[in-house]
Amino acid sequence: NQLDLYVNEKKVLSNDEWSQPNLADITKHVNEGRNQISMVARNQGGPAGALAVLLFKTQDGSVIEVVTDKSWKTSISESKGW
């Protein structure tokens, strides 16, 4: 029912309405090279899931799409440095 999205440990989006997709411009939080994208998702009963589709527009105008999948690490609790 709730979601917080972080880029490089800075909260960039909060959502408490699961049925509505959200958009956030994270440009100022993205560094050249490696970046860390994290989600904290909380459910208040019933089936749960979290999905993110991230679109990155590069300087040359091309778009890179990153979609959450089984390669993303998950945990039932927050960990330092995640």
Side-chain angles (χ1 to χ4, degrees):
N1 296 44
Q2 299 170 318
L3 171 76
D4 294 321
L5 180 69
Y6 296 83
V7 176
N8 297 320
E9 299 183 8
K10 292 184 176 81
K11 187 187 294 187
V12 297
L13 177 72
S14 288
N15 179 22
D16 62 359
E17 179 51 57
W18 65 269
S19 64
Q20 296 297 317
N22 291 146
L23 298 173
D25 182 352
I26 62 171
T27 304
K28 65 183 179 182
H29 303 288
V30 176
N31 301 320
E32 189 171 326
R34 293 181 61 102
N35 291 274
Q36 178 179 306
I37 300 169
S38 308
M39 287 190 299
V40 177
R42 294 174 284 298
N43 187 42
Q44 296 177 350
L51 169 70
V53 177
L54 309 168
L55 302 173
F56 296 94
K57 188 172 184 181
T58 64
Q59 288 180 337
D60 70 4
S62 60
V63 175
I64 299 170
E65 181 180 84
V66 177
V67 179
T68 52
D69 62 15
K70 65 182 179 180
S71 71
W72 283 54
K73 296 177 184 176
T74 60
S75 174
I76 59 171
S77 62
E78 294 179 34
S79 300
K80 187 169 180 71
W82 56 276

